[in-house]
Amino acid sequence: MEVIWFMVFSTFETLAIYSLIMSLLRFKTTEYIWQALIVMILANLQSFIMRNELQLDFLAPLITVLIFVFLFSAIIKIPVIWSAICTIIGYMLYALVQTAYLTTIFGSIDSIQTDHANGYILQILSGATGLLISWIMYRFGIGFKYDLEKLRIKFEHVLLIALIIVVLILIAILFYLNRLWLHLLFFGITFGIFLYYAINTEERDSYDHRRNIKADSGGDQTPGTRP
């Protein structure tokens, strides 16, 4: 039962972080939502495994950040540098919100660690606030207004594929040494999705075409309305 509650509340948290990052990039949260949800569920499952079965609490957040970077760079086709910058900022914004609730309502992290219910309440409050902030940001056009493509590295397409493969190999070795075959399968599926989108150049062309249309119509300069 613990894994179910962990997945539910962690997915709500990661959805809030995803929404914050999308708003920073001035995209609607609903864009790529299904691909994002699949990746988030797989990422949270792997986070649970690393925290509870491998006792790698320190490594789980880093892996989740990498997964978000790959999500935005491989699937949503944001340049890797911007993907990393916005992912870090999104996590920092969410961490500030959660820290504020933690100190004002629960007093200390000990109350969260000793009572799972408090932890779930904290996740709900933080996630809901994160979603609200992201809606406000998108509604009023708060986010990066720069031309994201200017920071795209030469041969970034090849570099991204190489990075995904390297990270996958390193994590595969970790799971192999611990004989976690099913978990290795889940991780393989996640990174397989990234590789599929990273290799799919038609998706990149579609993204570039959409960006050009927005630029020509002035869509990047004015905030939209979140559905």
Side-chain angles (χ1 to χ4, degrees):
M1 194 65 182
E2 180 185 357
V3 64
I4 295 176
W5 289 121
F6 178 90
M7 291 297 298
V8 169
F9 292 106
S10 293
T11 300
F12 186 60
E13 271 193 317
T14 48
L15 178 62
I17 296 171
Y18 165 79
S19 185
L20 285 169
I21 299 170
M22 289 290 278
S23 295
L24 282 170
L25 294 166
R26 307 188 77 195
F27 284 109
K28 296 178 182 177
T29 295
T30 51
E31 289 192 67
Y32 300 96
I33 187 63
W34 294 113
Q35 297 96 320
L37 279 174
I38 292 172
V39 170
M40 283 187 282
I41 290 171
L42 290 170
N44 289 327
L45 181 60
Q46 290 145 23
S47 178
F48 180 84
I49 293 167
M50 300 191 81
R51 292 173 188 273
N52 293 273
E53 296 194 21
L54 299 179
Q55 284 73 51
L56 294 174
D57 297 46
F58 67 95
L59 189 58
L62 176 60
I63 298 298
T64 304
V65 168
L66 284 174
I67 287 176
F68 262 99
V69 172
F70 290 148
L71 167 66
F72 282 95
S73 55
I75 296 180
I76 305 179
K77 305 301 180 184
I78 303 297
V80 172
I81 294 177
W82 276 116
S83 297
I85 291 173
C86 290
T87 296
I88 293 171
I89 293 176
Y91 263 89
M92 289 176 63
L93 287 173
Y94 186 81
L96 287 173
V97 170
Q98 195 162 72
T99 301
Y101 280 125
L102 179 64
T103 54
T104 56
I105 297 178
F106 300 99
S108 68
I109 196 171
D110 292 335
S111 61
I112 302 298
Q113 293 176 335
T114 56
D115 189 343
H116 289 303
N118 286 339
Y120 297 145
I121 293 171
L122 177 62
Q123 287 178 301
I124 292 173
L125 290 173
S126 304
T129 304
L131 289 172
L132 176 61
I133 292 173
S134 69
W135 181 85
I136 293 172
M137 289 173 61
Y138 185 82
R139 179 66 180 83
F140 293 98
I142 302 172
F144 293 109
K145 301 179 181 179
Y146 311 110
D147 182 4
L148 303 181
E149 292 299 314
K150 288 184 178 180
L151 278 182
R152 189 176 294 280
I153 304 170
K154 190 176 182 181
F155 303 117
E156 181 176 288
H157 186 57
V158 177
L159 175 63
L160 177 61
I161 294 173
L163 283 173
I164 293 172
I165 293 174
V166 168
V167 174
L168 176 59
I169 291 174
L170 292 175
I171 295 174
I173 292 173
L174 176 65
F175 283 161
Y176 173 79
L177 293 176
N178 288 274
R179 300 183 181 278
L180 299 172
W181 311 118
L182 184 60
H183 310 326
L184 178 58
L185 174 63
F186 286 133
F187 231 106
I189 292 173
T190 305
F191 280 76
I193 293 172
F194 293 147
L195 281 174
Y196 169 79
Y197 278 96
I199 295 172
N200 191 338
T201 55
E202 290 183 4
E203 287 286 335
R204 178 180 297 278
D205 292 338
S206 174
Y207 167 81
D208 290 339
H209 179 65
R210 185 185 64 185
R211 294 290 295 180
N212 290 335
I213 291 175
K214 283 187 176 182
D216 293 339
S217 63
D220 283 343
Q221 302 302 318
T222 57
T225 302
R226 191 185 299 271

